Amino acid sequence: MLTNSSGKAERIGDAVGLDTPASIMKVFEAMKAAGYDFGEDDMPSDGDELIQNLVDRCSYDEIYLTEHQLANAAGHVPKGVYQTLFDKLPQKQKDHILEQWGQPPGEAYVHNDAIALSGLEFGNIFMALQPPRGYGMASRLLCIACDPDKIYHTPDLPPPHNYFALYRWLHDVWKADAIVHMGKHGTLEWLPGKGVGLSSECYPDTFLDDMPLIYPFIINDPGEGMQSKRRAHSVIIDHLTPPMTTADGYGELAQLMQLVDEYYQIEMLDPSKMPLIQKQIWELIQKINLDEAWMATCASWLELKLEMDFTFWDKSQNEKP
C-alpha cells in the first residue's frame, strides 16, 4: 500500500527520509529471493518505471485520469459486491458515510457501476495506491473535504466509499494475507474512532479486520509511528534517517541558477548579450511554471533578479536527504 497524501500523481509514495519507489524494488527483490510468486510478467527495471506504470495504468489524480484508465484499473468492485461489503459495516459507520458521501458506490472513481482501484498486480502481490480520504470530492457537510491540508488529520470525517472498498476488497475478495504500508504517513490510522483500545465502532479496526499491517517508519518520528501502532495494530519497522547534504538545485532549476550566474558575468563583460540571456531565463521560468508565482510579486526585471537571488540563496542554506 503506497501513501498518496493528496491524491496527486507527483505525491505517490510520499515519505520522510525514504525513497519509497527504490525501497519497494528492494523489498520485491528480497521477496523474490524468499520464494514469493511474482507471476510471469516482466517487472519494472527501477522505482521510477514502477511509479510511471502505476500512473499510466490508473491513479487517483483527476488531472491525468481518463475513462480508459478507469476501465483498465487493476481492480474493480462492482456495485452489487460493494453493497454486500458495505452492509457488513456497523450501522453507525454506515450512517456516517451515507450522510457524508451519499449512496453506494458513491461518485468518485466509479466506472460502469464499479469502483476502480488503483494498483499493479504481480502474481501474488498487489501493489495498491491508498485512495484519497476525500480530496477534491464534493462533500455534503464539510467544505474542508476539498482541502487536503485540513482533512489529513480530521478526526470526524468518514472516508468515501472507494476508500472502504479497497480495504475490504483486499480482505474479502483478493484475499490478502497482510498489508505492507510504504510511505509516511498514510490516512488509515487517522480515521474516526478512539485514540487507543479501538473497538468495532472505530474505522481503522473495521477496515483492517484481522489483516496484519507492516509499516516501515522513520526512526526519529516515534509520535506518528505510535499513532499507527495504537490505532491500526501495525508492526513498526524503523528505518534510519538518511545522510543529509545541501539542497542546492537540480534539473531545470539548476539550469536556471546557471543562467542567472551567466547573466551577472556578461553584465560586467559583454552587456550586449544581456537581452539574449534574459530571454533564455524567462523561457525557462515559464517552462518550470514559476512565472505566475514570481511575476505576482515582481514588477520589474530588477525585482525578478532579486527574487531569484533570494530563492537560490535560500535553497543553498537548506539541507535535503
Side-chain angles (χ1 to χ4, degrees):
M1 183 80 70
L2 271 69
T3 290
N4 192 202
S5 59
S6 63
K8 298 299 183 183
E10 64 267 21
R11 299 294 297 275
I12 291 175
D14 197 20
V16 176
L18 182 72
D19 185 337
T20 302
S23 299
I24 289 174
M25 296 304 295
K26 290 291 186 182
V27 171
F28 283 176
E29 290 175 11
M31 292 175 70
K32 273 189 169 183
Y36 284 85
D37 181 9
F38 277 77
E40 301 298 325
D41 294 336
D42 292 336
M43 294 290 292
S45 59
D46 55 29
D48 290 341
E49 184 180 350
L50 179 73
I51 299 302
Q52 189 60 57
N53 290 350
L54 178 61
V55 174
D56 290 344
R57 179 76 181 268
C58 178
S59 73
Y60 296 120
D61 192 332
E62 296 181 2
I63 294 176
Y64 304 104
L65 193 59
T66 66
E67 288 295 315
H68 172 73
Q69 288 176 320
L70 286 171
N72 194 42
H76 290 94
V77 185
K79 181 178 179 179
V81 174
Y82 178 71
Q83 185 68 59
T84 300
L85 299 175
F86 184 77
D87 288 342
K88 296 178 182 178
L89 281 171
Q91 189 62 47
K92 182 178 179 181
Q93 291 181 2
K94 286 194 289 186
D95 293 343
H96 201 190
I97 293 174
L98 290 172
E99 184 179 24
Q100 184 70 32
W101 302 108
Q103 293 294 321
E107 300 177 3
Y109 312 108
V110 174
H111 180 79
N112 289 342
D113 258 355
I115 297 173
L117 304 177
S118 175
L120 295 172
E121 192 167 9
F122 306 104
N124 289 339
I125 287 81
F126 188 88
M127 189 183 79
L129 186 58
Q130 191 173 53
R133 195 184 162 184
Y135 307 110
M137 303 176 193
S139 168
R140 285 172 163 72
L141 293 179
L142 301 174
C143 62
I144 61 170
C146 293
D147 188 338
D149 293 328
K150 290 183 178 178
I151 78 166
Y152 201 79
H153 301 98
T154 301
D156 55 356
L157 178 68
H161 291 288
N162 64 302
Y163 192 108
F164 171 63
L166 172 62
Y167 281 92
R168 294 315 303 180
W169 178 83
L170 286 172
H171 184 278
D172 293 6
V173 180
W174 203 79
K175 303 294 184 182
D177 295 310
I179 293 177
V180 179
H181 188 100
M182 299 291 287
K184 175 192 173 308
H185 56 73
T187 51
L188 177 72
E189 60 267 32
W190 299 93
L191 296 183
K194 294 188 291 184
V196 294
L198 273 65
S199 69
S200 60
E201 297 293 323
C202 303
Y203 283 82
D205 206 60
T206 305
F207 284 22
L208 278 174
D209 203 343
D210 59 354
M211 277 195 298
L213 176 62
I214 303 161
Y215 211 142
F217 217 91
I218 193 164
I219 196 170
N220 65 351
D221 189 2
E224 291 189 315
M226 189 59 68
Q227 176 80 356
S228 179
K229 193 176 182 69
R230 286 175 175 170
R231 303 198 72 242
H233 55 68
S234 63
V235 176
I236 299 294
I237 301 178
D238 292 319
H239 66 81
L240 296 176
T241 56
M244 306 296 287
T245 185
T246 54
D248 293 323
Y250 58 90
E252 290 166 333
L253 188 59
Q255 296 176 28
L256 182 59
M257 295 169 70
Q258 183 178 352
L259 281 173
V260 173
D261 287 341
E262 290 178 10
Y263 179 86
Y264 282 115
Q265 292 177 21
I266 66 168
E267 191 175 32
M268 299 295 296
L269 301 175
D270 190 358
S272 64
K273 294 181 180 178
M274 287 170 58
L276 175 61
I277 300 297
Q278 283 184 6
K279 181 174 181 293
Q280 292 175 338
I281 288 174
W282 180 242
E283 288 175 349
L284 189 53
I285 286 174
Q286 291 178 306
K287 183 179 179 181
I288 57 181
N289 300 317
L290 288 174
D291 50 323
E292 291 187 9
W294 277 349
M295 293 314 296
T297 56
C298 303
S300 66
W301 174 253
L302 176 60
E303 290 182 6
L304 179 59
K305 281 198 304 178
L306 293 174
E307 181 68 27
M308 288 190 291
D309 284 344
F310 175 77
T311 300
F312 298 151
W313 176 85
D314 186 54
K315 285 189 67 65
S316 70
Q317 303 305 303
N318 292 329
E319 292 185 328
K320 68 174 183 180

